[in-house]
Amino acid sequence: MKLYFSPLSCSLAARIALYEAGAEAEFVHVDRATKAMDDGGDYRTIHPLGVVPTLRLEDGELLTELAAILQYLAERFPEAGLAPVDLRGRTELRKWLSFVGTELHKGTFFPLFDRSASEAVKAYALSKVEPRLSWLADQLEGRDYLLGQFSVADAYLITTLHWCLATPVRLETWPTLKAYLKRGLARPHVARAIAEEKPLYMEDLARLGEHVPGTAGQPARISSSP
Ligand SMILES: N[C@@H](CCC(=O)N[C@@H](CS)C(=O)NCC(=O)O)C(=O)O
């Protein structure tokens, strides 16, 4: 398999799932701004929308849409236990993938990172954060992970909450979420995935002439799209 990714963007969740599943994969870096791939090719020849992730299977088939890719990996590697096997559990998994994908990723964080979004749009997106994260914190009370044990939905949520570093959203407001993210980041496969992508993220930002949000001595500010 081959994962087309941009560093620390939502495609990080697919890398985490691949590592947690113990799957063999190659990784193709897509520059978030230019859409250039490692070999100089244009990623839009792989996915015309230019959005990551895309997963290329061994037979050449291309899978897009993160929620579908995550469920594919969980089902293909059942021994990793990345998704429940019963109908009720599967339904809960889909609920969380949908919540993270729509209410958090696209509904709130995406506008915060969109360079073309006006200040009014960013303020609107920020106004959506508090009720959603408060509800999420209530749901996570007393649980280590969304479904009790780690699943691909956590790979997506950890990736999304990690973006708070580069936004005005302060997880300190929700100690449950802060503890959840800390727990997630401490997982060896998550830590490995972030450690591998962070230098690439910094290189991408440097090419854009931007500083890296949240690094020592520099103020965090809304930066390029994750
Ligand atoms: N619906 C897509 C959205 C993926 C998405 O938003 N990807 C972002 C990174 S987090 C992206 O590639 N943005 C680049 C762009 O919009 O040009 C999915 O769920 O896979």
Side-chain angles (χ1 to χ4, degrees):
M1 284 182 285
K2 198 183 264 189
L3 180 71
Y4 297 86
F5 76 101
S6 292
L8 302 187
S9 76
C10 60
S11 52
L12 175 72
R15 182 191 288 264
I16 291 170
L18 284 161
Y19 289 169
E20 292 276 353
E24 291 281 317
E26 287 172 57
F27 297 89
V28 180
H29 179 185
V30 177
D31 184 294
R32 70 192 66 228
T34 64
K35 308 297 176 197
M37 295 185 289
D38 294 330
D39 65 2
D42 187 334
Y43 174 61
R44 284 162 291 204
T45 61
I46 306 294
H47 190 331
L49 293 181
V51 297
V52 291
T54 294
L55 185 68
R56 186 187 287 280
L57 304 183
E58 289 84 347
D59 63 4
E61 193 187 339
L62 295 172
L63 299 188
T64 60
E65 292 300 316
L66 178 58
I69 291 170
L70 291 174
Q71 290 178 82
Y72 171 84
L73 292 173
E75 287 180 33
R76 178 157 164 193
F77 300 96
E79 62 287 351
L82 297 174
V85 288
D86 61 301
L87 176 62
R88 189 71 191 89
R90 284 289 166 112
T91 306
E92 280 295 294
L93 178 77
R94 291 184 196 112
K95 175 186 92 177
W96 285 118
L97 288 171
S98 180
F99 174 80
V100 177
T102 60
E103 300 295 334
L104 297 184
H105 175 188
K106 288 308 224 184
T108 59
F109 285 97
F110 197 79
L112 292 182
F113 287 105
D114 190 335
R115 293 156 164 275
S116 61
S118 66
E119 287 310 310
V121 167
K122 290 185 197 300
Y124 174 80
L126 267 180
S127 76
K128 301 289 174 191
V129 170
E130 197 283 324
R132 280 154 186 75
L133 291 191
S134 291
W135 180 77
L136 177 63
D138 286 348
Q139 299 296 306
L140 275 167
E141 200 59 54
R143 282 193 230 176
D144 279 354
Y145 293 108
L146 289 167
L147 300 174
Q149 71 175 60
F150 184 88
S151 73
V152 287
D154 296 294
Y156 199 177
L157 180 57
I158 290 163
T159 295
T160 304
L161 292 180
H162 185 236
W163 296 336
C164 289
L165 274 177
T167 75
V169 180
R170 291 289 154 261
L171 274 191
E172 285 70 22
T173 313
W174 301 277
T176 308
L177 297 187
K178 199 166 161 49
Y180 167 85
L181 182 60
K182 191 173 172 200
R183 189 178 307 120
L185 295 178
R187 291 181 73 84
H189 294 304
V190 175
R192 175 188 165 200
I194 291 177
E196 287 174 355
E197 293 201 2
K198 199 168 175 187
L200 300 171
Y201 174 76
M202 290 167 132
E203 282 170 25
D204 279 4
L205 283 192
R207 263 198 303 282
L208 282 171
E210 296 194 12
H211 70 65
V212 178
T215 50
Q218 293 182 324
R221 70 177 165 91
I222 294 171
S223 187
S224 40
S225 143

